[in-house]
Amino acid sequence: MATMTEPTIDTTLLAHLQTWQGQSETLSDTLSASPVSALSASLDRDDPAPAAGTALPPLWHWLYFLPHARQSEIGPDGHPRRGGFLPPVPLPRRMWAGGRLRWETANRLQVGQEVQRTSTIQSVKHKAGRSGELLFVQVQHQLHNAQGLALTEEQDIVYRSAAQPGDPAPVPQTPPLAGQADWSRSIVPDPVLLFRYSALTFNGHRIHYDRTYATGTEGYPGLVVHGPLIATLLLDLLRRSLPDAQVLTFDFRAVRPTFDLHPFSVHGKLSSDGKTVELWGQDHEGLLTMQGTASLA
């Protein structure tokens, strides 16, 4: 296995990285119809063609405000080189660990709208984990359309040390509601699905489509299924099961990587009062891979 080296994040470097806290940027985008149609096809949905005024499904705003780094600015992992809005963290592996979202139910995002996203780095924290150093960056996004605030999101991004032989695997967890799901769906994460989602989100991270890089450089057993794709599939299961429901909040966290080597499944259970849905993903061994909670308006 090829390995990568990285400098230790000492007190001085951490203090430098923490100078990014409080930095903000504002981007504008148009919620065009084409990405909505393409993601609908990728998720194997038979939706009507989107048009101006079509409500944007929850989490599909991730199709917009995409980074357009020049090819010469791309790092060896396929991401834009470190620095700029996000701090230049020297740890080589980066993943989206989870997030929290709240929609303004009286002001839903719609296809055709002009939207501004203001992003702020809320915190930069360092800790030592079972398999090496970890650095957590929390980013808040607020999306505004002509009517005002439509969505507030907090993203948790984690940077990790390079994989080493003998690194401990994540502690296996069984879904707390295993066997109690009201709805379930099996997903085949083949390379075509992973490629289509990478393309739709302009995500060049090689762990999702370059098997040689994913296994040889980053030490994974196969291609990694995007965390945001799994989160999207969790809420897509809710939409299929409760098509008229409006999601007010959604909190989720990634628990264990999912790979393209086997099918995985997504599950949901509605609370007795009909106001909350517990959602989770599990792999072919029945182990918890992602856990989320949606509240309904």
Side-chain angles (χ1 to χ4, degrees), residues 107 142 157 166 243:
N107 185 25
Q142 289 192 318
I157 303 169

Side-chain angles (χ1 to χ4, degrees), residues 203-271:
N203 181 354
H205 198 184
R206 293 168 64 184
I207 62 172
H208 303 303
Y209 60 87
D210 184 339
R211 193 175 304 276
T212 299
Y213 174 84
T215 59
T217 300
E218 296 218 14
Y220 293 113
L223 296 178
V224 180
V225 181
H226 315 66
L229 173 57
I230 299 174
T232 299
L233 286 164
L234 290 179
L235 284 192
D236 180 65
L237 177 68
L238 190 159
R239 288 181 63 215
R240 291 169 186 265
S241 306
L242 299 174
D244 296 326
Q246 286 200 53
V247 177
L248 175 61
T249 66
F250 180 54
D251 300 352
F252 71 99
R253 64 183 182 94
V255 176
R256 186 182 186 88
T258 301
F259 304 101
D260 73 325
L261 305 176
H262 306 279
F264 68 95
S265 53
V266 290
H267 307 266
K269 182 174 178 58
L270 183 65
S271 64

Side-chain angles (χ1 to χ4, degrees), residues 107-125:
N107 185 25
R108 291 286 178 173
L109 295 172
Q110 297 176 3
V111 171
Q113 291 179 338
E114 300 287 337
V115 178
Q116 283 194 328
R117 187 188 74 178
T118 299
S119 304
T120 305
I121 296 180
Q122 293 186 307
S123 65
V124 177
K125 298 179 180 179

Side-chain angles (χ1 to χ4, degrees), residues 4-18:
M4 300 170 65
T5 60
E6 70 283 347
T8 299
I9 297 179
D10 58 19
T11 303
T12 301
L13 178 54
L14 178 60
H16 172 63
L17 297 175
Q18 288 177 332

